[in-house]
């Protein structure tokens, strides 16, 4: 039986030039490199320059992904951009990216699931491609969280950074087996009862301001590992795979302790875990494609490898995807 699968043709990423280290933060607020590293694993993060918008980061990442895939921008008929930090309330940042790439056909839209955004966007594009509505998609995660941080709140401002990553997906006929290339399964969840644990205290409808990120860190931590591992078990069950079969685990990069605890609970060997949180901080929807970019560029992720993605974020939202590279 043949099926359509969304196969990854290439990936790319972009980080703003400016690096903000823990030491520099410790000169501005009451914190220390030791505290941040021990609680989160973060050593530095990148910060977008004045006038550098989410769309600019996304366009750079998209161009890198198109070059890596060896395909022309004009062959893209769908752009799904995951972000919680759009250039404007509307139109979607995705249409600025579409225009920046010189594409004037097909569809482009934003998707908002906070830190789970890339997994939600990948699943959305995958469904469109497998359904035959589009042939080739750019799935992008792009964020400028530095713009919604309260830089006087040491409980949150040390955690986040800016960046963007993208993958090119193409609908290809495959055999329908778990040895196929492409997105093999995805599982998405949300539960709005937790919405006040991680949110932004502004918005067009409520305050007519952009607002700042607010988080009950301990509450997020308490739920994260259970939610992440549940949705990964769903991915294993749906495909008849186990932790043993995974070549690379590419989690959302929020906090090294959450990542380590999730991998440990699932019996995923530490050497299979791709970690970038030390260099990138938490870049929300951009963190998974940024990590994919690093592990593909340094030769770890190769064609045929089984790659497990997961994320959890504000809402709460959470999700997983299994991709044969
Ligand atoms: N530097 C120094 N001290 C700090 C800092 C800081 N940057 N931030 C908080 N503290 C202090 C607090 O004020 C508190 O001091 P007190 O005991 O005198 O009151 C103490 O450290 C402990 O504070 P907690 O918030 O309880 O610290 P905790 O051990 O929970 O660590 C952290 C905080 C790192 C945010 C942790 O809760 C966490 O990792 N939570 C997960 C949330 C997360 O990763 N969110 C990312 C977004 S969501 C997502 O992407 C999944």
């Amino acid at each position: 039986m043949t099926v359509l699968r969304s196969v990854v043709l290439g990936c790319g990423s972009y980080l703003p030039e400016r690096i903000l280290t823990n030491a520099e933060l410790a000169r501005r607020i009451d914190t220390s490199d030791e505290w941040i590293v021990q609680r989160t694993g973060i050593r530095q993060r990148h910060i977008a320059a004045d006038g550098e918008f989410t769309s600019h980061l996304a366009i750079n990442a998209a161009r890198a992904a198109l070059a890596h895939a060896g395909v022309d921008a004009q062959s893209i008929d769908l752009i799904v951009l995951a972000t919680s930090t759009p250039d404007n309330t509307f139109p979607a940042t995705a249409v600025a990216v579409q225009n920046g790439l010189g594409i004037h056909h097909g569809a482009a839209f934003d998707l908002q699931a906070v830190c789970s955004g890339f997994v939600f966007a990948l699943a959305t594009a995958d469904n469109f491609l497998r359904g035959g509505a589009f042939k080739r998609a750019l799935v992008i995660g792009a964020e400028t969280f530095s713009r919604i941080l309260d830089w006087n709140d040491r409980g949150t401002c040390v955690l986040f950074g800016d960046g963007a990553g993208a993958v090119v997906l193409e609908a290809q006929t495959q055999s329908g087996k778990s040895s196929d290339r492409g997105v093999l399964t995805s599982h998405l969840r949300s539960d709005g009862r937790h919405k006040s644990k991680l949110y932004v205290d502004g918005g067009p409808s409520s305050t007519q301001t952009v607002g700042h990120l607010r988080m009950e860190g301990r509450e997020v931590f308490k739920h994260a590992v259970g939610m992440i591992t549940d949705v990964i078990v769903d991915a294993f069950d749906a495909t008849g795979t186990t932790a043993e079969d995974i070549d690379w685990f590419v989690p959302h990069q929020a906090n090294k302790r959450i990542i380590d605890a999730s991998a440990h609970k699932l019996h995923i060997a530490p050497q299979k875990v791709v970690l970038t949180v030390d260099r990138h901080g938490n870049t929300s929807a951009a963190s998974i494609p940024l990590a994919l970019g690093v592990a593909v560029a340094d030769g770890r992720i190769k064609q045929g490898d089984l790659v497990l993605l997961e994320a959890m974020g504000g809402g709460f939202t959470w999700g997983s995807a299994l991709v044969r590279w």
Side-chain angles (χ1 to χ4, degrees):
M1 181 193 67
T2 60
V3 297
L4 277 178
R5 298 268 198 206
S6 309
V7 172
V8 179
L9 298 184
C11 67
S13 55
Y14 176 79
L15 288 160
E17 212 171 286
R18 160 124 167 80
I19 291 174
L20 176 61
T21 63
N22 291 350
E24 203 178 331
L25 273 171
R27 286 196 289 276
R28 292 196 210 161
I29 52 167
D30 184 13
T31 189
S32 66
D33 177 54
E34 190 192 6
W35 192 96
I36 301 170
V37 172
Q38 195 234 329
R39 305 285 177 121
T40 71
I42 298 167
R43 294 179 184 278
Q44 61 170 50
R45 68 289 291 143
H46 290 249
I47 303 291
D50 289 346
E52 193 173 36
F53 301 165
T54 295
S55 62
H56 302 144
L57 310 189
I59 289 168
N60 284 328
R63 286 202 176 114
L66 291 166
H68 184 242
V71 301
D72 191 87
Q74 295 310 319
S75 69
I76 299 293
D77 53 2
L78 174 67
I79 299 175
V80 186
L81 187 146
T83 189
S84 304
T85 45
D87 291 5
N88 297 91
T89 302
F90 78 78
T93 301
V95 300
V97 173
Q98 186 194 35
N99 191 44
L101 296 172
I103 304 171
H104 305 293
H105 60 269
F109 60 90
D110 287 1
L111 185 153
Q112 211 268 62
V114 204
C115 298
S116 310
F118 184 76
V119 175
F120 275 59
L122 188 78
T124 302
D126 175 46
N127 273 279
F128 276 122
L129 293 181
R130 284 189 296 111
F134 299 98
K135 298 257 181 303
R136 212 177 253 179
L138 261 172
V139 180
I140 307 170
E143 302 281 17
T144 47
F145 260 51
S146 64
R147 307 265 155 79
I148 55 164
L149 295 175
D150 174 350
W151 287 97
N152 294 312
D153 175 11
R154 66 177 182 172
T156 55
C157 76
V158 303
L159 303 174
F160 296 91
D162 301 337
V167 298
V168 179
L169 293 180
E170 181 181 75
Q172 289 185 6
T173 303
Q174 300 272 314
S175 71
K177 299 186 185 128
S178 64
S179 55
D180 285 355
R181 287 189 68 203
V183 180
L184 301 180
T185 193
S186 57
H187 298 265
L188 309 181
R189 302 278 180 275
S190 50
D191 185 345
R193 282 176 298 182
H194 302 286
K195 69 185 172 65
S196 62
K197 293 178 181 131
L198 176 51
Y199 67 105
V200 169
D201 64 4
S205 174
S206 54
T207 61
Q208 299 82 58
T209 62
V210 172
H212 291 113
L213 184 149
R214 306 292 173 204
M215 179 175 72
E216 294 174 36
R218 274 208 180 165
E219 281 297 309
V220 178
F221 203 104
K222 203 169 82 189
H223 291 280
V225 178
M227 288 175 163
I228 288 165
T229 51
D230 280 357
V231 82
I232 289 174
V233 170
D234 289 345
F236 288 154
D237 290 347
T239 50
T241 53
T242 69
E244 290 270 290
D245 300 315
I246 300 304
D247 294 298
W248 300 107
F249 179 41
V250 186
H252 166 51
Q253 309 282 322
N255 181 307
K256 186 171 184 301
R257 287 191 296 158
I258 295 175
I259 295 172
D260 289 346
S262 306
H264 181 76
K265 193 170 168 194
L266 291 159
H267 305 291
I268 295 173
Q271 62 270 22
K272 293 182 176 179
V273 181
V274 176
L275 260 187
T276 51
V277 70
D278 54 336
R279 286 160 282 163
H280 301 169
N282 181 349
T283 56
S284 193
S287 90
I288 291 176
L290 274 164
L292 285 171
V294 168
V296 168
D298 69 19
R300 274 180 288 175
I301 296 179
K302 295 180 291 299
Q303 191 168 316
D305 284 353
L306 190 58
V307 182
L308 172 63
L309 315 178
E310 66 77 5
M312 183 252 180
F316 293 148
T317 55
W318 64 107
S320 66
L322 255 184
V323 183
R324 173 99 43 208
W325 210 255

